[in-house]
Amino acid sequence: MSYDRVRETDPAAADALLAERERQNDTLAMIASENHVSEAVLQAQRSELTNKYAEGYPGARYYGGCEHADTIEQLAIDRAQDLWGADHVNVQPHSGTQANMAVYLSMLDPGDRILSLELEDGGHLSHGHPANFTGQTYEVEQYQVDPETGYIDYEGLRDRAEAFDPDIVVSGYSAYPREVEWERIQAAADAADAYHLADIAHITGLVAAGVHSSPVGVVDFVTGSTHKTIRAGRGGIIMCDEEYADSIDSSVFPGAQGGPLMHNIAGKAVGFAEALEPEFRTYAERVVANAETLADRLQEHGFSLVSGGTDNHLVLVDLRDSHPDTTGKEAEEALEEVGVVLNANTVPGETRSAFNPSGIRIGTPALTTRGFGERAIREVTDLIARVVDAPDDEETKTEASVRVDELTDEFPLYG
Ligand code: DSN
């Protein structure tokens, strides 16, 4: 795919687009929420549907000329139903946060109560953070992970639900390396007579492939984004029982959004079709196996992991024990210099700040898409360990950088 037409109009933009392509090819994307979509999804996302207004839903639009938009949106819905088994699916949310917003709009009034996981323990801004509309519109209480084990403190959550009497309990996380026990959280929500929203943004692909337990059919609402483990391009999704379908649909449009991003919905349709193929399950199993290899190898190098390992696509390293003088941001920056791109992250019991926290979050979805298996993941883990052990050592960083170049050549992106 060339940017020659962009270059004719806007050389500066063409330069940046090409540089980003090269950056993705020449570095190792280990941000746990990122992935590389297929060329088919890329093509669909840059289609002429970017020109089309299609406010409304398939068969009931506010504009003419929507017959092909209808086909695309219905394909995305049907495939999502096959993948996750939900009664009702809305594929129009522009992002995971917009999906969450629509659920809150649908079920809550301003001032109602949200019970959710603390951000520094692995939660998400849109689950009630004071800097987000959720924290400003609703009354929020938070539960935590057990500081000893790093696992969700399910009993603490139940006690908090009893005491706080929330209107909605939010589960599903952004930096939690373990399988979630949806039924236990549902029991706490039931006891408080609260709705339960499971935001599976990070693990949509793992749930679709059956390598992580599903909250669909257990909880009231399941939301997610479509560009992480599911690899269907940028966007959001909501799933629910039929009884909430009308309310959710009208909260997405016209409640929270105007015209849907039909070109992104085309990406979802194509990405979901890919995820229905048997190879996708193999991919999802490899994502988890690679994360386990990463976790084991990091621990062999002396790193402490929150919860002592992983069940999913990410590990969360707490640097305070093994590298007390290195912050997450310093580790992130040293690793980016050698071409390993990940993010600094808060850890449970954080003693620094959100901007310069004590941990790093490392994910395997994008490298798995590139074809990385156990041998290559072990090698990348060794590079990470060497660089974090000596973040200011130029010779170490130069050697690591050369090896990253060789690995990116061995596993090229997009042919
Ligand atoms: N920003 C995403 C992440 O990195 O986890 C969540 O929306």
Side-chain angles (χ1 to χ4, degrees):
M1 194 181 353
S2 140
Y3 294 118
D4 53 343
R5 293 302 174 91
V6 179
R7 183 163 301 285
E8 283 167 19
T9 305
D10 186 345
D15 283 348
L17 291 169
L18 270 180
E20 174 60 13
R21 178 184 292 164
E22 282 166 18
R23 187 196 69 78
Q24 290 190 20
N25 193 56
D26 297 346
T27 58
L28 301 179
M30 300 194 82
I31 291 176
S33 47
E34 292 187 359
N35 211 330
H36 303 292
V37 298
S38 68
E39 289 188 70
V41 172
L42 272 184
Q43 267 189 5
Q45 281 205 322
R46 66 173 191 151
S47 70
E48 290 77 0
L49 278 169
T50 195
N51 299 330
K52 188 70 197 104
Y53 256 118
E55 288 180 4
Y57 289 98
R61 306 283 189 184
Y62 288 82
Y63 293 88
C66 286
E67 61 270 33
H68 307 302
D70 280 4
T71 302
I72 286 288
E73 185 165 347
Q74 197 58 52
L75 284 172
I77 291 169
D78 293 346
R79 289 167 183 167
Q81 284 175 323
D82 284 351
L83 279 170
W84 290 286
D87 281 354
H88 180 72
V89 175
N90 187 307
V91 293
Q92 291 193 7
H94 302 332
S95 71
T97 291
Q98 298 286 131
N100 291 340
M101 176 186 246
V103 173
Y104 301 135
L105 271 177
S106 185
M107 295 298 139
L108 305 182
D109 292 317
D112 277 357
R113 296 175 169 190
I114 295 176
L115 178 64
S116 59
L117 184 70
E118 193 94 48
L119 184 67
E120 76 177 29
D121 284 21
H124 189 259
L125 286 169
S126 68
H127 297 177
H129 193 272
N132 183 264
F133 77 93
T134 46
Q136 293 157 11
T137 308
Y138 306 108
E139 192 182 339
V140 179
E141 275 267 334
Q142 305 220 277
Y143 57 92
Q144 283 80 29
V145 299
D146 181 323
E148 295 303 316
T149 65
Y151 282 66
I152 298 293
D153 177 3
Y154 291 98
E155 286 179 16
L157 186 164
R158 191 199 54 208
D159 293 347
R160 198 61 67 87
E162 264 174 33
F164 181 54
D165 193 21
D167 296 288
I168 195 164
V169 176
V170 182
S171 63
Y173 313 109
S174 290
Y176 184 65
R178 293 299 182 177
E179 187 141 20
V180 182
E181 298 183 53
W182 309 111
E183 285 83 359
R184 290 184 76 180
I185 304 179
Q186 183 60 41
D190 283 341
D193 200 18
Y195 295 113
H196 181 181
L197 159 62
D199 176 349
I200 62 167
H202 267 253
I203 55 168
T204 42
L206 306 185
V207 171
V211 302
H212 194 294
S213 61
S214 175
V216 174
V218 178
V219 313
D220 300 295
F221 306 98
V222 177
T223 57
S225 45
T226 52
H227 44 275
K228 297 187 174 102
T229 43
I230 192 68
R231 292 194 302 205
R234 198 152 287 273
I237 189 168
I238 304 175
M239 299 174 246
C240 62
D241 288 343
E242 202 54 49
E243 64 177 301
Y244 302 122
D246 289 346
S247 173
I248 286 293
D249 285 353
S250 58
S251 290
V252 174
F253 170 81
Q257 297 182 176
L261 306 179
M262 287 310 309
H263 54 306
N264 280 16
I265 293 173
K268 293 174 196 183
V270 174
F272 294 166
E274 292 172 348
L276 283 164
E277 296 299 318
E279 299 76 40
F280 188 81
R281 185 183 165 95
T282 307
Y283 153 78
E285 286 168 351
R286 279 198 194 128
V287 167
V288 176
N290 281 342
E292 286 168 353
T293 299
L294 172 71
D296 291 347
R297 193 73 178 153
L298 282 168
Q299 290 178 113
E300 283 165 28
H301 282 292
F303 287 85
S304 295
L305 305 187
V306 173
S307 84
T310 183
D311 298 327
N312 58 26
H313 62 301
L314 68 85
V315 301
L316 187 56
V317 180
D318 186 339
L319 292 167
R320 289 174 300 188
D321 287 341
S322 58
H323 298 76
D325 299 326
T326 305
T327 68
K329 200 73 187 165
E330 286 163 350
E332 175 195 300
E333 287 171 358
L335 286 163
E336 186 166 1
E337 278 183 59
V338 308
V340 176
V341 185
L342 45 69
N343 65 287
N345 213 94
T346 54
V347 291
E350 183 57 67
T351 42
R352 294 191 175 102
S353 70
F355 194 68
N356 192 12
S358 303
I360 48 176
R361 187 185 65 164
I362 319 178
T364 54
L367 292 196
T368 306
T369 293
R370 268 183 107 135
F372 279 59
E374 186 177 341
R375 188 261 316 156
I377 289 289
R378 280 170 70 88
E379 188 165 352
V380 173
T381 313
D382 293 347
L383 294 176
I384 291 172
R386 284 173 56 200
V387 172
V388 177
D389 281 349
D392 299 319
D393 187 302
E394 294 308 320
E395 199 181 323
T396 300
K397 285 192 285 191
T398 303
E399 282 171 18
S401 185
V402 168
R403 192 58 198 128
V404 167
D405 285 347
E406 288 166 357
L407 284 165
T408 57
D409 287 348
E410 187 182 341
F411 299 97
L413 266 179
Y414 303 124

